[in-house]
Amino acid sequence: MKVRIATAPVSWGVLMKDTPNVPPYGQVLDEIRKAGYVGTELGPYGYLPFDIPKLRDELEERGLTLISAFTIFNFLSGKGDETVYREALETAQVLSAMGCTHIVLSDVLFVEESRARRAGRIRREDSLSAAEWDQAAANVDAFAKIVLNEFGMKCAAHPHIGGYLETDFEIDALLERTDPELVGLCFDMAHIAYGGGDPVAVLDKWRDRAWYLHIKECDGRRREEVVGREGDYYDGVSSGVFPELGQGTVDWQGINRILHEMDFDGWGTVEQDILPGLGIDALESAKRNRAFLKDELGW
């Protein structure tokens, strides 16, 4: 087994493309390198430059490899959401030009009010109908086919609270309907836990589709507090639901065992969702997160 370790601008508070008061990308890239990482994701659309020579220079001078991007794609609307679809295609073009092998796809987040409000409390009746899942899967398959045929990459679907792909049964609904040659899973253990699932069970069930990792901690005790007061994703972030690795309740040894059984060989991106202004020293957290993976898991 070999897990290549990267991180991403989200660990410096760059959550979405409209998140205010984020640090400049030069500072983030400098600190990614200082923290001991050799790879990074692109960050939200428009954060790192899409000018390929400039992007290549920025990364090469720091000895960093671009590995993927957390990319928003409207599962249910597909091409019908023109702006989101165009941005996803542009992101795929940049990743391909930089030699990436995977693009991470997340459903649009927080646009459906009841879903956004019920983060971590999604019931089956809150989910899409069977016909809607058929449509969502067809849209994801169609985009994944373009990504493979035109850009030579594969898509890894990312469960994330606040979108339609959040719970374990929603992961099942999408992966059961999509082409296993085109669409895999970005295994984000923290979002699976926040969504009420068991990350070890999900990884075990979908080990053949787990092509890419988002390595993130979830504190189940904080999660219960936030869910109990019906807080949303941002309440969860502010309340420390996503602490440093090893400071929560994720079963890291269980995950490590299954990855060894899979003989996993690929990239894992360390993420610690924070918001600017919380007083968290992102660089020091990134260093401790990297040390945890090396010392506790041998990654």
Side-chain angles (χ1 to χ4, degrees):
M1 186 193 80
K2 184 174 183 180
V3 183
R4 300 169 184 84
I5 304 298
T7 189
V10 67
S11 298
W12 277 258
V14 192
L15 295 179
M16 308 293 172
K17 70 176 185 178
D18 57 353
T19 303
N21 304 315
V22 298
Y25 74 76
Q27 173 189 333
V28 170
L29 293 179
D30 286 343
E31 294 189 359
I32 286 173
R33 187 57 187 171
K34 287 178 183 177
Y37 297 87
V38 296
T40 182
E41 288 192 2
L42 197 57
Y45 178 86
Y47 183 66
L48 288 184
F50 273 25
D51 178 281
I52 299 303
K54 182 174 179 59
L55 177 60
R56 186 172 287 116
D57 287 346
E58 294 281 6
L59 296 174
E60 285 183 353
E61 72 179 42
R62 297 170 173 88
L64 295 174
T65 298
L66 185 70
I67 60 166
S68 189
F70 177 82
T71 307
I72 300 297
F73 178 83
N74 194 318
F75 287 8
L76 196 53
S77 297
K79 285 185 176 180
D81 193 336
E82 295 180 3
T83 298
V84 169
Y85 190 84
R86 174 183 54 79
E87 291 179 354
L89 277 180
E90 290 177 5
T91 301
Q93 290 174 325
V94 171
L95 295 178
S96 178
M98 295 296 292
C100 300
T101 58
H102 291 84
I103 182 170
V104 175
L105 289 189
S106 168
D107 190 22
V108 289
L109 304 174
F110 319 126
V111 296
E112 208 288 308
E113 184 180 354
S114 65
R115 293 285 307 210
R117 189 175 63 250
R118 293 186 60 80
R121 298 181 292 119
I122 298 301
R123 307 159 301 183
R124 290 185 183 273
E125 56 264 38
D126 301 317
S127 192
L128 298 175
S129 68
E132 288 171 324
W133 275 116
D134 289 343
Q135 183 61 60
N139 289 334
V140 172
D141 266 349
F143 185 78
K145 193 170 185 178
I146 291 172
V147 165
L148 181 61
N149 292 341
E150 296 189 16
F151 304 119
M153 299 185 299
K154 288 193 173 184
C155 290
H158 184 303
H160 196 295
I161 62 170
Y164 280 116
L165 189 67
E166 174 173 335
T167 68
D168 49 7
F169 56 83
E170 290 171 332
I171 293 170
D172 291 347
L174 183 72
L175 293 184
E176 287 167 357
R177 288 170 166 85
T178 46
D179 187 337
E181 298 299 318
L182 295 174
V183 180
L185 174 67
C186 173
F187 176 67
D188 186 311
M189 59 286 293
H191 275 283
I192 291 170
Y194 203 142
D198 177 352
V200 175
V202 171
L203 180 61
D204 189 27
K205 181 174 184 176
W206 292 108
R207 56 176 67 193
D208 291 339
R209 303 283 288 276
W211 299 343
Y212 190 90
L213 308 178
H214 271 182
I215 303 168
K216 185 184 303 184
E217 183 65 88
C218 181
D219 187 332
R221 298 152 297 198
R222 295 283 179 88
R223 173 196 176 276
E224 290 302 315
E225 294 172 2
V226 174
V227 168
R229 62 175 177 260
E230 300 186 1
D232 62 10
Y233 165 73
Y234 292 103
D235 184 9
V237 173
S238 299
S239 300
V241 171
F242 301 114
E244 293 179 9
L245 303 183
Q247 302 302 307
T249 53
V250 167
D251 181 0
W252 292 103
Q253 295 303 326
I255 290 169
N256 198 29
R257 172 180 57 81
I258 294 178
L259 290 174
H260 274 282
E261 291 173 1
M262 294 165 54
D263 196 21
F264 181 86
D265 185 354
W267 281 99
T269 298
V270 175
E271 293 188 321
Q272 185 181 349
D273 291 13
I274 65 172
L275 283 166
L278 289 181
I280 295 173
D281 188 325
L283 174 58
E284 293 306 312
S285 285
K287 289 178 179 178
R288 288 189 288 268
N289 287 333
R290 186 67 192 92
F292 171 85
L293 294 177
K294 181 178 179 181
D295 297 342
E296 299 297 325
L297 302 179
W299 297 0

